[in-house]
Amino acid sequence: MNTYSKSREEFARAVKVIPSGIYGHQGPAEGCFIPVDAFPMFSQRAKGSYFWDVDGNRFIDYMCAYGPNVLGYCDEDVDAAARKQMELGDCITAPSTKMIDFAELLVDTVASADWAFFAKNGNDVTTLAVLTARAYSHKKKIVFFKGYYHGVAPWTQKVDYAGILEEDVCNNLYVDWNDYDQLERVFQENKGQIAGLIAQPYMHGNFQDNQFPADGFWAKVRKLCTDNDVVLIVDDVRAGFRLDLAGSDHYFGFEADLICFCKALANGYNVSALCGKDFLKNTVSSLTYTGSYWLSAVPFAAGIACVEKMRRLNLPKLLQEKGEKLRDGLLAAAKRYQFDLHFTGAPALFYLRIADDPSLSLHQEWVAECVKRGVYFTNHHNHFLNASLTDGDIAETVAVAEEAFEVLRGRHPL
Amino acid sequence: MNTYSKSREEFARAVKVIPSGIYGHQGPAEGCFIPVDAFPMFSQRAKGSYFWDVDGNRFIDYMCAYGPNVLGYCDEDVDAAARKQMELGDCITAPSTKMIDFAELLVDTVASADWAFFAKNGNDVTTLAVLTARAYSHKKKIVFFKGYYHGVAPWTQKVDYAGILEEDVCNNLYVDWNDYDQLERVFQENKGQIAGLIAQPYMHGNFQDNQFPADGFWAKVRKLCTDNDVVLIVDDVRAGFRLDLAGSDHYFGFEADLICFCKALANGYNVSALCGKDFLKNTVSSLTYTGSYWLSAVPFAAGIACVEKMRRLNLPKLLQEKGEKLRDGLLAAAKRYQFDLHFTGAPALFYLRIADDPSLSLHQEWVAECVKRGVYFTNHHNHFLNASLTDGDIAETVAVAEEAFEVLRGRHPL
């Protein structure tokens, strides 16, 4: 069973010089996501489907750095392309033509992409999408689906979050996912005022089972946006490329006006992209939007190698198969010990919940037992698969999960 | 004389798949910054103080990728540290302890740093600083000095910029740089409503000579902020480390509450940092603020190597000396042909203006003649020096500048 004394020592050092020691999902401040005692806090190295923590524990990693690791850590093809570009230069006064090559590749790969604009954070491109919708339409309001996550810019936070003003979010409209009638009503009530609608391709929020779009939902939303001249923005930062290399809108049979990519774009190299339709290209050009590292060549070279390899592997099919194998194993293990495990969302970015206990504490207990045994799940966030995950990894995961269910059933007899 | 046929060909390819072809300062859309015909558009490689464009022209580069290149392109020490970390991993589910090492190094180096929070863009940390000021104070308004640049987030743009709403900027107050009486009046008029004041350490805006703080200005501003419980934010994204490794606030003899770093932090590797005083650490911890790549280890390893090398070199002194040598040469060359060249700001990030012509077109003409001869200046933005610039480079620069003045004088006789 894993122990974490070195992780704890390092955390004690971290908290002296970094607010909250570790921030973001991995931070103990977000206790709801992670049962802190069972989890490693700092990694030492990573390769393929594994990372090793500072105590020497090895984990089969189902978080994949919250998405970026899509081919496997330290992928040889991507790293070779990056190293080759590093010899030439990275962040240079005039950009490399690798930027053009990467844009051409995305236009060739993504169905709704007539062009690509590169930045660094997912947040940079969701914000750019909203600016584009407003500049194009000369309208202010943006429609969100409740349970959304589109980054951390003030406009996408909540008014009761620290530091956020009413002015930051006063043009946001919130609608329940999959409730087309409500959406139509909101469009009607705000006629002539809505610039854009931003949505993940399906609902993969926290603390609840993921939900696919209802039959015909996206087709109706697409038509409603078109009829009202509202820019339809798909935030594919999280799901992008794992469902469909042509974009998650393509997977669900519609076309976005703007689509945001980040995580799986370059296997961890730092780049994000907004892609979109021709009618919005001049609007994007009219905006004031740039950053110090946005034209750096190494992430472009890595991104090209990553997208080409995802195409070669037919990544979505591969991840679907691995995910289904994992799903079948986990559900059978749960059944053996009579737990009602829900495995929802796309198998490539599955969400887990033990539904026997609405407080979710049983679920947290089970996740902790898995993590202590070297299978890195997290509590209330979707997971991510990568291409390097082997059948052996999946078998080991299922065995660990089963042992964790057994421990749980021992503690909580029927 | 340089020609750019390949750059033009590549641009024709770029504009098909990227809004405006190249965005940001290097883009031809920003025609005011660059005389397009004289400039290369795409680089092929870079080393030390030079980059080579796709036509094979070599440039002595005084833009340094708009700041990140502080030690010289492809610096061997920084790149070796990055490559070593790449073997272990970069963007991993649990962060590397390199994050802690880097935070400790910044706390040890920067006078006003009790802690460090890392992100990706300068914009990420200026926004974090404003959120922190608002969350700490429960007030809304932010004071800016006219001519500021703090990134591209909506709150820092102007209401007449495309896509920007009145709501984005309605809590901004604008004051003239170096006008303490005006600042005091604005504080008085908005008593109890001001969360923070954000400022570059000196005025290094575009289209005008850079301006240092007036005698005693910063001491008075510091006191005014303290007396009114207003968080004093120094945006050191552009000037950081080139003036003073302890921070540009330290250079000007005061202490910021929050200080933003980005460009010179890791010699082009993608990282930014907010540093600040202990009394704001818990507030930062309370914010919702993270990003996919923010805990990546390679930029931390590169940043450590970069800061250590800047310390070893005593970088600010080195750049000051190089800058003064360049200044003396350029001013003498201008004088020889009776041009009134202004060389303002810190020598390490100097601003150039030929003051004979208020339309600035004479200046643009001169810059174009320099660039066509392989000295990469830009028109109305400050420049940047890097540690690898040699005396030979400076001599070559001065010779080119003199030739450009001669050409200009021929066209515009006295």
Side-chain angles (χ1 to χ4, degrees), chain B residues 357-374:
Chain B
D357 165 24
S359 82
L360 301 174
S361 72
L362 203 60
H363 182 75
Q364 293 184 7
E365 231 182 290
W366 175 71
V367 168
E369 293 304 321
C370 291
V371 174
K372 284 192 282 183
R373 288 167 176 81

Side-chain angles (χ1 to χ4, degrees), chain A residues 10 13-24 26 41-46 51 54 61 63-66 68 73-74 79 82-83 86-97 99-101 103-104 107 114-118 120-121 124 127 131 134-135 140 149 152 154 157 161-165 167 170-171 262-263 268-271 281 284-290 292-295 376, chain B residues 10 13-24 26 41-46 51 54 61 63-66 68 73-74 79 82-83 86-97 99-101 103-104 107 114-118 120-121 124 127 131 134-135 140 149 152 154 157 161-165 167 170-171 262-263 268-271 281 284-290 292-295 376:
Chain A
E10 294 288 359
R13 188 162 72 94
V15 85
K16 288 183 190 156
V17 289
I18 298 170
S20 78
I22 304 174
Y23 41 95
Q26 289 301 116
M41 307 188 84
F42 291 97
S43 62
Q44 211 281 320
R45 66 190 173 95
F51 75 85
V54 286
D61 181 18
M63 288 316 293
C64 294
Y66 286 76
Y73 287 119
C74 294
D79 283 3
R83 282 169 193 276
M86 278 172 76
E87 300 282 343
L88 297 172
D90 183 18
C91 184
I92 306 175
T93 298
S96 155
T97 54
M99 176 171 72
I100 317 172
D101 301 339
E104 287 179 344
V107 167
D114 293 326
W115 47 263
F117 180 110
F118 299 106
K120 290 297 155 187
N121 302 310
D124 297 332
T127 299
L131 288 174
R134 286 177 171 158
K140 289 186 172 186
Y149 179 80
V152 296
Q157 294 205 35
Y161 287 12
I164 302 303
L165 309 182
E167 292 87 332
C170 64
N171 291 297
C262 175
K263 291 174 183 295
Y269 287 85
N270 198 162
V271 64
K281 194 176 171 194
V284 176
S285 298
S286 75
L287 301 174
T288 300
Y289 214 62
T290 188
S292 295
Y293 305 111
W294 290 12
L295 308 184
Y376 199 100
Chain B
E10 293 288 0
R13 189 162 72 94
V15 86
K16 287 183 192 157
V17 290
I18 298 170
S20 78
I22 304 173
Y23 41 94
Q26 290 300 117
M41 307 189 84
F42 290 96
S43 62
Q44 211 282 320
R45 66 191 173 94
F51 76 85
V54 287
D61 180 18
M63 288 317 293
C64 293
Y66 285 77
Y73 286 119
C74 295
D79 284 2
R83 281 167 192 277
M86 278 172 76
E87 300 282 342
L88 297 172
D90 184 19
C91 185
I92 306 176
T93 298
S96 155
T97 55
M99 177 171 73
I100 317 174
D101 301 338
E104 286 179 344
V107 167
D114 293 324
W115 48 263
F117 180 110
F118 300 107
K120 289 296 153 187
N121 301 311
D124 298 331
T127 299
L131 288 175
R134 286 178 171 158
K140 290 185 173 188
Y149 179 80
V152 296
Q157 294 205 34
Y161 287 11
I164 303 303
L165 308 182
E167 290 87 332
C170 65
N171 290 297
C262 175
K263 290 175 183 294
Y269 287 84
N270 197 162
V271 64
K281 195 176 172 194
V284 175
S285 298
S286 75
L287 302 174
T288 300
Y289 213 63
T290 188
S292 295
Y293 305 111
W294 290 13
L295 308 184
Y376 199 100

